[in-house]
Amino acid sequence: MLIAANWKAYVEDAAKARKLVASAKKLASGGMHQIVAAPAAPHLGLLAQGNKSKLAFASQDVSATTGGAHTGEVSAQTLHGIDVAYAIIGHSETRGRFGVAEPDFTPEILAIFGESNATVNLKTIAAIEGGLLPIVCVGETLAERKTGNTDAVVAEHVTLALKNVSAADVAAKVIFAYEPVWAIGTGEVCAADEADRVCGVVRSTVAGLYDAATAEAVRIQYGGSMKPDNAVELLSKPNIDGGLIGGASL
Ligand code: PGA
């Protein structure tokens, strides 16, 4: 199992981040599963560098570019250089879904990074080339689910994320996180059978793009209000290889 804790912008105090990392290291030292922590970017610099524990670190985003004149961007190479192992890419909180024209931007909308399937693809490639393992988030909104478009949206997210990515890299390096947007931070969990079914859509899409062996090898997490009372059932499902956990990971 690959269990990743996405701390988003919840932990603003470095001392608190250190405490959480210390307890995550204890959990990880048990050795049964791979535990990953994704603190805020500046805290990664404090916490990841020189890490020799079984806990691995993830960034919550990564630049599609390598080094250069890219103000505000953090490249995969920079993250790899401070012992970060994974990068979360295309989280619904960074994918653009508002469709609002620029003059109407509110601060809340400006805080959304306007991620698209194209940038998710470029970031996935940049992460792999920079030595990181991409955790690529896919998933439908409530409106997309209600109109019966869940499987098509998820298949499209997967297909476009993997453009120009080799089968070997998909099998060994890429992790998908199926995160129904309506279940993120809402307490509304996707029923385990349905989560498993859609993770199966991710797997069969990979099979269609590559082959059965690649689809079998690719790791798929479920994310969205995963917590102690539903994690065991979700993680027992055949297509679910781990969890991407926000609120409950704190
Ligand atoms: P949540 O977030 O567990 O708070 O729903 C999951 C995520 O956004 O990755």
Side-chain angles (χ1 to χ4, degrees):
M1 292 289 164
L2 181 69
I3 307 292
N6 176 10
W7 294 350
K8 310 188 179 190
Y10 285 124
V11 185
E12 296 173 276
D13 175 37
K16 180 162 185 216
R18 273 187 215 286
K19 259 195 186 163
L20 278 172
V21 160
S23 54
K25 280 185 178 169
K26 268 191 209 140
L27 274 177
S29 68
M32 277 260 289
H33 303 293
Q34 177 63 64
I35 314 276
V36 180
H43 292 166
L44 274 177
L46 299 172
L47 298 166
Q49 191 159 28
N51 174 45
K52 299 268 186 297
S53 76
K54 285 188 171 171
L55 177 72
F57 286 90
S59 64
Q60 296 178 15
D61 193 10
V62 65
S63 178
T65 67
T66 53
H70 311 296
T71 302
E73 294 289 278
V74 181
S75 71
Q77 286 77 0
T78 304
L79 293 162
H80 185 252
I82 57 163
D83 302 315
V84 172
Y86 296 82
I88 297 170
I89 296 171
H91 192 282
S92 66
E93 286 153 16
T94 70
R95 281 182 188 258
R97 292 193 181 268
F98 289 90
V100 175
E102 200 166 340
D104 299 328
F105 277 179
T106 63
E108 192 197 351
I109 289 167
L110 279 174
I112 305 293
F113 303 165
E115 198 82 276
S116 67
N117 285 317
T119 60
V120 168
N121 174 239
L122 294 175
K123 289 180 176 191
T124 300
I125 292 169
I128 293 169
E129 286 179 352
L132 303 179
L133 304 176
I135 298 176
V136 181
C137 302
V138 301
E140 81 289 358
T141 61
L142 188 57
E144 287 162 344
R145 173 162 285 267
K146 279 187 170 160
T147 50
N149 286 316
T150 297
D151 295 11
V153 167
V154 167
E156 184 180 52
H157 281 174
V158 170
T159 302
L160 296 179
L162 293 179
K163 195 174 151 204
N164 298 325
V165 182
S166 71
D169 280 345
V170 174
K173 297 177 181 168
V174 174
I175 298 109
F176 280 104
Y178 167 54
E179 298 211 306
V181 179
W182 49 272
I184 296 174
T186 58
E188 186 100 21
V189 71
C190 185
D193 283 339
E194 176 61 7
D196 183 52
R197 190 193 69 77
V198 185
C199 289
V201 171
V202 174
R203 214 177 283 290
S204 61
T205 303
V206 172
L209 292 168
Y210 300 92
D211 50 57
T214 306
E216 184 60 34
V218 72
R219 283 179 293 175
I220 305 170
Q221 300 175 308
Y222 169 79
S225 299
M226 190 185 264
K227 42 188 181 258
D229 65 6
N230 59 35
V232 172
E233 190 188 4
L234 285 159
L235 295 171
S236 71
K237 296 294 176 188
N239 280 310
I240 300 179
D241 307 317
L244 180 57
I245 305 171
S249 70
L250 299 164

